[in-house]
């Protein structure tokens, strides 16, 4: 089963397919990802605090891929907490309104400073049963949405992931610039 999982993740990682984007509200995708993990939260005694902004603009997103990103990061947070902890998920529009920001934070063990620069590298893992592909795949998905993902250590322990994705309006501007510069 472990080999099958590794092969599936490896195949998914190597495909690096173009996202099938449609206009969506990122809060809906976050809610779906959390509902998938609801049982895991109960089993691990993890509390989830949500602060999802009601003024999120629709974005051009591949629902399945972005859901995969959120599930992966939240599952990593559950593992880092090791029972009885808190995961905080928030969303907001960046002040310039050209991108949406999602922050996922936990109060777990945190990522050692020396590993922060490696966590998005393929096959890097500190887990005994980890493949090192989850965050690498998530990084690629966010990049394919013209977004950014970064990780920070929280003061006093824990980790915070920040994902920014351009709004549909910003994506139109990006595509226009790429077209002008001969990328298409």
């Amino acid at each position: 089963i472990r080999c099958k999982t590794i092969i599936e993740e490896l195949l998914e990682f190597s495909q690096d397919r173009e996202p099938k984007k449609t206009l969506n509200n990122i809060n809906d995708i976050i809610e779906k990802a959390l509902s998938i993990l609801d049982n895991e939260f109960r089993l691990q005694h993890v509390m989830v605090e949500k602060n999802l902004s009601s003024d999120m603009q629709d974005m051009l997103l591949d629902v399945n891929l972005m859901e995969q990103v959120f599930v992966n990061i939240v599952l990593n947070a559950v593992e880092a907490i090791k029972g009885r902890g808190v995961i905080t998920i928030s969303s907001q529009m960046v002040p310039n309104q050209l991108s949406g920001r999602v922050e996922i934070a936990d109060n777990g063990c945190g990522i050692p400073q020396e590993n922060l620069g490696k966590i998005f590298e393929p096959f890097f893992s500190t887990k005994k049963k980890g493949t090192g592909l989850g965050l690498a795949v998530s990084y690629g998905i966010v990049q394919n949405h013209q977004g950014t993902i970064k990780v920070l250590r929280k003061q006093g322990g824990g980790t915070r992931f920040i994902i920014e994705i351009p709004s549909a309006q910003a994506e139109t501007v990006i595509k226009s610039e790429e077209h002008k510069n001969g990328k298409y």
Side-chain angles (χ1 to χ4, degrees), residues 1 30 63 73 97 104 125 158 168:
I1 292 171
I30 293 168
V63 174
I73 293 172
Q97 300 294 304
I104 303 170
S125 180

Side-chain angles (χ1 to χ4, degrees), residues 8-177:
E8 285 173 351
E9 288 179 350
L10 193 57
L11 286 171
E12 188 175 311
F13 177 73
S14 66
Q15 286 175 354
D16 196 28
R17 65 181 173 92
E18 192 66 28
K20 295 177 182 149
K21 298 178 187 178
T22 55
L23 271 179
N24 289 282
N25 188 303
I26 202 161
N27 288 343
D28 296 338
I29 300 170
I30 293 168
E31 292 285 5
K32 175 90 188 308
L34 294 177
S35 72
I36 289 169
L37 297 172
D38 195 44
N39 196 44
E40 189 70 22
F41 299 142
R42 274 196 298 281
L43 289 172
Q44 300 296 326
H45 307 286
V46 171
M47 279 184 39
V48 176
E49 295 177 354
K50 295 184 288 186
N51 184 17
L52 305 180
S53 174
S54 60
D55 69 347
M56 294 299 290
Q57 294 177 13
D58 284 347
M59 299 176 203
L60 287 168
L61 303 167
D62 184 313
V63 174
N64 294 325
L65 291 177
M66 289 307 297
E67 184 179 297
Q68 180 182 343
V69 169
F70 297 135
V71 165
N72 184 36
I73 293 172
V74 171
L75 269 179
N76 283 348
V78 168
E79 290 177 20
I81 288 171
K82 297 181 178 142
R84 301 206 186 274
V86 179
I87 297 172
T88 306
I89 300 175
S90 62
S91 67
Q92 65 184 37
M93 291 305 295
V94 175
N96 64 12
Q97 300 294 304
L98 292 179
S99 63
R101 177 183 294 144
V102 175
E103 294 191 24
I104 303 170
D106 66 66
N107 65 345
C109 60
I111 299 170
Q113 187 68 40
E114 64 272 11
N115 291 344
L116 279 177
K118 302 176 194 173
I119 66 164
F120 295 116
E121 292 177 9
F123 308 110
F124 176 79
S125 180
T126 58
K127 299 177 190 174
K128 288 181 182 172
K129 293 187 178 184
T131 60
L133 290 174
L135 288 176
V137 168
S138 296
Y139 183 86
I141 290 169
V142 172
Q143 291 254 299
N144 283 340
H145 281 80
Q146 284 75 41
T148 60
I149 181 171
K150 61 183 174 181
V151 63
L152 304 167
R153 292 178 55 156
K154 283 177 50 185
Q155 204 71 347
T159 304
R160 183 168 57 130
F161 281 85
I162 302 168
I163 300 166
E164 287 194 17
I165 304 287
S167 67
Q169 174 188 355
E171 181 130 342
T172 304
V173 171
I174 291 168
K175 294 283 185 203
S176 175
E177 288 298 316

